Amino acid sequence: MTYTPSYNVAIDKREVVIRFKRDLIDQTALNRFLDSVELESIRKRSQLTEEQAAELAQEIDRAVWESVKQAYAEA
């Protein structure tokens, strides 16, 4: 018995091409997969330390809170 994968991968110097039947995955799942590939690529290139990332997350949390706290004060 021979296994035949449901996908085909071609890699050259600049691109990776993955081919598979359209019904193998739905559009939403495919978008999530591609987003995770893109995020992993960004993470690999990042020079951000864990400490810097934590500091950035705190800054974002503060900024989000500033933009929504009025809605909670009125509730």
Side-chain angles (χ1 to χ4, degrees), residues 11 59 63:
I11 302 172
E59 287 177 31

Side-chain angles (χ1 to χ4, degrees), residues 4 7 13 15 18 20-22 28-29 35-40 45 47-48 52-56 60 64:
T4 305
Y7 59 88
K13 290 182 181 181
E15 294 180 325
I18 303 170
F20 50 85
K21 290 187 179 189
R22 189 178 193 108
T28 301
D35 287 346
S36 69
V37 169
E38 187 171 19
L39 286 172
E40 178 63 16
R45 292 187 314 248
Q47 300 292 318
L48 201 64
Q52 291 169 324
E55 189 175 306
L56 180 58
I60 292 168
V64 169

Side-chain angles (χ1 to χ4, degrees), residues 2 4 8-9 18-20 23 25 27 30 32 34 39-40 45-46 55 59 62-63 65-66 69 72:
T2 304
T4 305
N8 182 311
V9 178
I18 303 170
R19 293 185 183 277
F20 50 85
D23 62 353
I25 189 170
Q27 185 70 40
L30 180 58
R32 283 194 312 259
L34 294 174
L39 286 172
E40 178 63 16
R45 292 187 314 248
S46 174
E55 189 175 306
E59 287 177 31
R62 283 191 297 271
W65 175 244
E66 287 299 318
K69 73 179 178 182
Y72 285 99

